[in-house]
Amino acid sequence: MNATLSAAATDLAASYPLRHFRITHDLASHPLLQLPRLIALTKELERDRFEYNSGKLQPNQKAEDTPLVSLTPEEVVAQIETAGAWMVLKRVESVPAYRAMMEEALLSIAKQLGHTSLDGASFRDIEGYIFVSSANSVTPFHSDNEDNFFVQIRGPKFFHLFDNDDRSLVSEELLESAPSKHRNLPYEPKFEERATVYDLKPGEGVFVPYQVPHWVRTGDDYSISMAITWRSADVVRRNKLLFMNAWLREKGFAQPAPGRKPALDGLKVAAYTAARSAIEPLRRNETMRRLLRSVVFGKKANYYYEAQKAAEKKAA
C-alpha cells in the first residue's frame, strides 16, 4: 500500500521549514496504523518505548502531578475507547515495516521539494512516534527538538500551534533541553490569542517545525496519530548546543543564546560530541538506558514503568 504525503506548492515555497502549514496524506487506511496492528506492535517494541498516562490533563500540566493509569501498554491500546489514557509508542522505525512506510512518505515530500532522495532533502535521523489517545485527552504545552510531519489516522484531533520568533511565549532558556528537564512548558490561557488551531480529521495533518510550541487535544472519540520526524545536520548541531547550555546553566553559569558567540558555540558542540560518543553505545541496550536515566533523574527516573508495574501487580 502506498504511503504518501502532500502539501500545497505555495506552502512549501513560502513556509517550509520555518512555519507550520496543513498537509494531506493517504495513511489513514494503512494496515500498519490500524488498532489491531498497534496492539501487536506493543509486543514487539522494547518496554521503554512506551510512555502513557491519564489523558485528563491541562495544557499547563505540571509533570510531577501527571496522573497515571494502571494498565499495560497492550491493555491501553486494546481498551483505548474507555481507558481515559494517552499513549505514545516511540521509535517505531526500529520495526523494518514501519521504517519503510515512513521513508516512502518522506520521499514523496522530498520529491515535491525538488529532491530525488531523503538525504538530498536533509531528512536524516528519521524517527516515528504513534499516538493512541482516548476521547477528550490533552497533550500539554511543549516543543520538540525535531521537524515533524504529523498525520491524523483516526478520530478528531485539534493541534494548537504557535509562532515564537520574539520568544514572548517561551524564552530561550526554556527552549534549552537536557535529560533532567521535562518537555512540558509553562502555559497561560492568554497564549491562545496567538494560536493557530488545526482541526485535523483522518487523511489530514500538519507540518510542525523545529521547536515551535504547541499543545494538542482529541475530540469526542479516540484518536490515532503519527509523527514522522527527522533532524537535519543543522538541527542536530543546535540540539547539542542547547543541551550544553542547559547543562552549564544548571551548574550556575549563565549562557548566551545560540549564535551570539559562535566560537564558544563551537567549543560546546565539540564537547558534547566527544562525551556522547562514549555514552551512545550504552544506549543501544534497554537495561543500560534505564540505568542512565536513573543516574540523571534519580527517583523520578523511568516513571512510565510505574503504570505497567501497577497493572501487573493488579493482575497477579
Side-chain angles (χ1 to χ4, degrees), residues 73-214:
E74 181 182 354
E75 289 170 339
V76 170
V77 179
Q79 301 175 31
I80 198 62
E81 290 188 70
T82 57
W86 170 95
M87 167 180 269
V88 56
L89 291 77
K90 302 179 179 181
R91 302 297 305 273
V92 301
E93 79 286 350
S94 62
V95 179
Y98 284 89
R99 182 170 190 87
M101 174 187 68
M102 293 162 53
E103 289 182 346
E104 182 181 352
L106 284 177
L107 184 59
S108 66
I109 285 286
K111 290 178 178 178
Q112 292 175 59
L113 289 167
H115 303 283
T116 58
S117 68
L118 297 176
D119 193 64
S122 295
F123 291 153
R124 305 165 187 164
D125 289 348
I126 297 168
E127 296 177 355
Y129 300 82
I130 297 175
F131 299 87
V132 184
S133 309
S134 297
N136 302 307
S137 294
V138 167
T139 305
F141 190 58
H142 69 287
S143 67
D144 299 311
N145 285 348
E146 58 271 324
D147 291 299
N148 168 16
F149 283 117
F150 187 91
V151 296
Q152 188 63 16
I153 304 302
R154 189 202 183 281
K157 182 160 276 189
F158 301 89
F159 219 107
H160 297 239
L161 270 159
F162 300 79
D163 290 322
N164 196 34
D165 288 342
D166 61 6
R167 296 295 184 257
S168 64
L169 299 180
V170 181
S171 69
E172 199 75 52
E173 178 180 349
L174 286 172
L175 285 174
E176 293 172 356
S177 57
S180 57
K181 293 178 67 174
H182 196 276
R183 65 175 172 269
N184 289 3
L185 296 169
Y187 170 89
E188 299 178 32
K190 66 180 181 181
F191 290 179
E192 285 305 303
E193 297 173 1
R194 298 187 59 189
T196 300
V197 183
Y198 290 85
D199 178 356
L200 301 181
K201 298 177 178 62
E204 300 176 339
V206 62
F207 169 63
V208 185
Y210 174 74
Q211 283 205 327
V212 169
H214 59 279

Side-chain angles (χ1 to χ4, degrees), residues 49-62:
R49 297 309 189 194
F50 306 102
E51 182 181 343
Y52 58 101
N53 47 248
S54 170
K56 309 247 180 244
L57 307 181
Q58 298 299 319
N60 61 347
Q61 184 72 38
K62 292 183 178 179

Side-chain angles (χ1 to χ4, degrees), residues 49 273-289 292:
R49 297 309 189 194
T273 301
R276 185 62 180 253
S277 65
I279 296 174
E280 191 60 31
L282 302 176
R283 298 184 70 252
R284 295 171 188 161
N285 176 273
E286 180 186 352
T287 301
M288 290 305 302
R289 289 197 299 269
L292 289 169

